[in-house]
Amino acid sequence: MTAPFVSSSTRFEVTAPPPSDGSTRARTGLLGLPHGTVETPQFMPVGTNATVKALSPDDLKDAGATIVLSNTYHLYLRPGHERIARLGGLHRFMDWDRPILTDSGGFQVVSLGDLRVVDEDGVTFRSHLDGSVHRFTPEHATAVQEALGSDVAVAFDQPVYPSSPRDVVADATSRTHRWAERSLAAHSRTDQAMFGIIQGGLDPELRAESARFIAGLSFDGICIGGLAGDETPSQRDATLDVAVAALGDDPRPRYLMGLGSPADLLEAVHRGIDLFDSVLPARVARNGQLWVPGGRVNLRNRAFLDDPDPVQEGCPCLLCRRFSRAYLAHLFRANELLAYRLATCHNLTFTLDFMARIRASIRAGTFPADMTDLRARAGRMSGGEGAEQSA
Ligand SMILES: [Zn+2]
């Protein structure tokens, strides 16, 4: 069994390693960070603007959240990282006392910024809010995250769509490597972890090379980027297999960025991933899509207006404990704000409970045999839904 990984900010211990028969790479672990310990595999709800849309910190805790992600790009533009630092840091600002991971802003700069001129030193982009021109470099993205004071900062990278031509992927990947070294060199907070990002698109050689390069640097954890985009599930599976195999017995946590449907989470855990984030459960909730065992129900459907049952029998969330499908269907049709809160509470509770079931199965040593039941519970919530990224 691999010894725990320990640094000034991070302790990661694999508590149930994958079986030696090769039937799965799934594992459980404990990730210790400055604001608390996170059981893995784990899902991180996304609080883009220092809030998971429609939820209070108490709602998040009730849903079972132990760590959240917040977006560096958004907080840098509004209200500003220096303002948040003056107000005591991101934890105090959003009144969340558990771990926070901030992304590097690379994905948002490339996907949301209008101008986005990439050069060797950094990226110049136009704010999606007011068109003002800004510039991110590895050093600046690191400084912004240090000001926010997240538990985990992420190195600045240049993501590209999985389907991009090989020369575009190769160019972005080698630049990501140079930026990884610069991000690490710029990082000075010893009470904050820094994770590095593997790129390499869908090309097995580039992916393996990137995994080895990033793993060769003194990061506290390894992110797998450039997926959860326009690739097919089988392309994603194959790419994960290459990356995780290249990491070998590396003792650090592995985080697949941007994946969020229960079916997709399950397959990625099976391939050895420990951490996930996505806006998906909350976004589809706000559209009236409620996740239940085996599939989903659309509460905008008028058939539910007379349904007195809870959305999911036995679910401990605020919605299912106290309200009927009929009530939620009414709230959506009347555009009442409470609909967003209740639906989001439910989808996050479902997702985090699903991760807890996966962990229990891995700990019991029955995960490969339980995959059939877990797949049935996840339903067919993959494909287009799963292809959305945090934004
Ligand atoms: Zn519920």
Short mmCIF file of all heavy atoms in Angstrom, two decimals, residues 315 317 320 346, ligand 1:
data_model
loop_
_atom_site.label_atom_id
_atom_site.label_comp_id
_atom_site.label_asym_id
_atom_site.label_seq_id
_atom_site.Cartn_x
_atom_site.Cartn_y
_atom_site.Cartn_z
N CYS A 315 -35.82 10.51 0.19
CA CYS A 315 -34.70 11.46 0.03
C CYS A 315 -34.72 12.44 1.20
O CYS A 315 -35.77 12.99 1.54
CB CYS A 315 -34.83 12.21 -1.29
SG CYS A 315 -33.62 13.55 -1.48
N CYS A 317 -33.58 15.44 1.47
CA CYS A 317 -33.39 16.87 1.14
C CYS A 317 -34.61 17.69 1.57
O CYS A 317 -35.69 17.17 1.81
CB CYS A 317 -33.09 17.05 -0.34
SG CYS A 317 -34.54 17.18 -1.40
N CYS A 320 -37.79 17.06 -0.68
CA CYS A 320 -38.52 15.79 -0.56
C CYS A 320 -39.09 15.57 0.84
O CYS A 320 -40.08 14.88 1.01
CB CYS A 320 -37.62 14.64 -0.96
SG CYS A 320 -37.08 14.75 -2.68
N HIS A 346 -32.17 19.27 -4.04
CA HIS A 346 -32.40 17.86 -4.35
C HIS A 346 -31.31 17.28 -5.24
O HIS A 346 -30.75 16.22 -4.94
CB HIS A 346 -33.77 17.64 -5.01
CG HIS A 346 -33.93 16.23 -5.45
ND1 HIS A 346 -34.31 15.22 -4.58
CD2 HIS A 346 -33.68 15.62 -6.64
CE1 HIS A 346 -34.29 14.06 -5.22
NE2 HIS A 346 -33.92 14.27 -6.47
ZN ZN B 1 -34.82 15.19 -2.52
#
